[in-house]
Each structure stands twice: as structure tokens, then as C-alpha cells.
Amino acid sequence: MRVDRLTAMEAFVRVVDAGSFSGAAKQLRVGQPAVSKTVAQLEDRLGVRLLLRSTHRLTPTKRNLPHVGPPQLYRAVCAYTLR
């Protein structure tokens, strides 16, 4: 099942704000695997890795969007996804 664009953007923003997939899942009242899959689909759609994942933390990546901080990253993702 493909997730609509706005749902994917909301999931991404919640993950970054919460600092984890499980925290975002609690906020969204869905399972953690659903949030992880939604963000992965958004990354596939954009052709860009948005989050660096490790066993200990989650970090928004700037590798593909240099000189962009989290607020600007949100706007860039939203603008690109909505076009």
C-alpha cells in the first residue's frame, strides 16, 4: 500500500521531532513499522536518504541537501513532494 504525500510528510516531520520512529508512531497512533515504511517510501519517492539510522539514534541527513537545517529540510521535502 502506498501512502499519500501529506501522510508521508507528516510521518517524516514527526520522526524528526520525536527523534525516533517509535515516538512518532505513538504520536500518530500507528505501529512503528508503519512509520518506518512510510518514511522509507518517501525517501524512495524523493530519491534521497532523509534520515541516518543507527541502533542508537536517528539524524536528519544534510548530505543530499547541503547547507540546510531541519526547518529548511522540512520545507524542502514538502515543496518537492507536493509538486
Side-chain angles (χ1 to χ4, degrees):
M1 177 175 88
R2 299 291 290 175
V3 177
D4 70 72
R5 295 176 193 177
L6 293 175
T7 300
M9 288 186 295
E10 180 182 13
F12 169 70
V13 169
R14 298 269 183 142
V15 167
V16 172
D17 288 343
S20 69
F21 287 106
S22 58
K26 287 179 187 175
Q27 291 177 18
L28 295 167
R29 298 181 182 181
V30 298
Q32 179 272 329
V35 175
S36 181
K37 184 175 182 178
T38 298
V39 172
Q41 288 176 349
L42 178 61
E43 289 175 323
D44 288 345
R45 174 178 169 67
L46 298 175
V48 146
R49 169 123 356 219
L50 298 172
L51 298 169
L52 296 175
R53 297 154 174 88
S54 77
T55 55
H56 299 288
R57 67 185 201 182
L58 202 55
T59 308
T61 182
K62 295 183 206 177
R63 189 174 115 203
N64 294 311
L65 297 169
H67 312 297
V68 177
Q72 294 85 5
L73 181 61
Y74 296 159
R75 285 193 287 280
V77 168
C78 294
Y80 184 87
T81 305
L82 288 173
R83 58 181 169 146

